[in-house]
Amino acid sequence: MNKEFSEIFPDIPADIDASGFDEARVPQHVAVIMDGNGRWAKKRMLNRLNGHKAGIEAVRETIRCASDIGVRYLTIYSFSTENWKRPQDEVVGLMNLFAKTMLAEVDGLDEENVRVMTIGDTTALPEDTQRAFAAAWGQTKDNTGMTLVVAVNYGSRAEITSAVQSVVNEALAQQEAGLEVAAVTPEAIASHLHTASIPDPDLVIRTSGEMRLSNFLLWQIAYSEFYCTPVLWPDFNRYDFLRAILNFQGRARRYGGV
């Protein structure tokens, strides 16, 4: 861990028994489906964009906490390929919010030795948003602390389709060159995914009580543990994150064995 446990979690709620926390069993990669911004806003009679803005603090809190306890990779699902179907004003507002937030946060992330990368088709994003993510990568790519993976304009089916097409194209090129065609293997497909350079998630957290994957990392989470909480994303804090970690540490991961 990068800090003392008591410094990361100074005011643990009475319902959390953290005595069994095991620093050696902190998940290497945590993926988060951040859900509930719209419902949080609706409960307060605000527009949906206000909910997304409120969720930024939960993102900050989760990044800090994950980094401090020793998580090596944190993937946040910020915008899916299906989210383009949302009202135009919400989509435009989200894109502006991504750009402004990344530009405002990158110096702090850099100081914390966090590396920022994206997965998904960023070429479809507005130029300002593309530049903000590219600048964050350029500034932090040599950092050696936690890697923050922002899934933006990301859809797992599209990712897998693209990976399989790449494997097929390579096989056709080998055939045309008179070479032995390599077998299609899980490893070959995985090497063409957006996440080829990072390990699969150990733990997937979904907020707001929903129990679905929403086209998120379908290949990569084959053996991930799941933790769902009814907490809406803007209300999610470090103690909710701690609950998820403790729940994860209480499980036995058998990977199909006994």
Side-chain angles (χ1 to χ4, degrees):
M1 293 194 299
N2 297 325
K3 294 181 181 179
E4 293 294 325
F5 186 85
S6 59
E7 186 179 355
I8 303 169
F9 303 107
D11 301 302
I12 297 178
D15 68 302
I16 298 179
D17 179 8
S19 61
F21 178 83
D22 185 352
E23 181 179 350
R25 295 191 62 218
V26 170
Q28 181 180 22
H29 184 176
V30 177
V32 184
I33 302 174
M34 307 178 295
D35 196 15
N37 290 341
R39 272 165 284 176
W40 184 93
K42 185 177 181 180
K43 285 173 62 176
R44 291 159 177 78
M45 300 184 70
L46 302 170
N47 67 40
R48 292 176 59 84
L49 192 57
N50 286 115
H52 296 305
K53 290 177 179 177
I56 292 173
E57 182 52 41
V59 173
R60 291 192 188 105
E61 177 99 335
T62 302
I63 293 171
R64 287 194 207 100
C65 186
S67 178
D68 286 343
I69 69 170
V71 171
R72 296 299 302 164
Y73 299 88
L74 175 68
T75 299
I76 56 174
Y77 199 14
S78 60
F79 192 86
S80 76
T81 51
E82 290 78 22
N83 287 157
W84 295 107
K85 301 173 186 176
R86 293 185 175 186
Q88 185 65 18
D89 59 341
E90 182 180 352
V91 171
V92 171
L94 273 170
M95 291 301 156
N96 290 334
L97 188 60
F98 291 153
K100 291 178 181 177
T101 301
M102 188 52 64
L103 291 173
E105 299 293 329
V106 67
D107 287 343
L109 293 170
D110 194 20
E111 289 175 7
E112 294 290 325
N113 198 28
V114 173
R115 183 176 68 147
V116 181
M117 63 178 286
T118 60
I119 57 173
D121 181 12
T122 58
T123 63
L125 305 179
E127 288 187 5
D128 287 349
T129 309
Q130 290 186 49
R131 283 195 292 267
F133 283 123
W137 166 251
Q139 183 172 336
T140 66
K141 61 183 175 65
D142 295 324
N143 288 346
T144 57
M146 186 183 77
T147 296
L148 172 64
V149 184
V150 183
V152 57
N153 195 27
Y154 172 85
S156 190
R157 285 183 172 181
E159 176 190 31
I160 294 169
T161 300
S162 176
V164 171
Q165 185 63 62
S166 294
V167 172
V168 169
N169 291 344
E170 288 181 357
L172 291 173
Q174 291 166 346
Q175 186 178 52
E176 290 177 3
L179 302 174
E180 181 180 355
V181 177
V184 177
T185 63
E187 292 76 17
I189 294 173
S191 70
H192 289 282
L193 297 173
H194 299 314
T195 55
S197 64
I198 62 178
D200 292 340
D202 301 294
L203 172 64
V204 178
I205 299 171
R206 178 156 192 158
T207 59
S208 85
E210 300 295 345
M211 304 287 284
R212 58 179 178 269
L213 295 177
S214 298
N215 199 15
F216 182 55
L217 299 177
L218 302 177
W219 179 282
Q220 295 88 340
I221 60 176
Y223 289 101
S224 301
E225 299 293 326
F226 289 82
Y227 178 85
C228 297
T229 173
V231 175
L232 301 178
W233 179 249
D235 295 324
F236 190 85
N237 60 35
R238 64 183 54 232
Y239 298 104
D240 295 306
F241 190 75
L242 176 60
R243 288 184 179 94
I245 299 301
L246 290 170
N247 185 277
F248 170 83
Q249 292 188 344
R251 302 183 191 185
R253 304 185 73 195
R254 298 185 178 89
Y255 300 96
V258 294

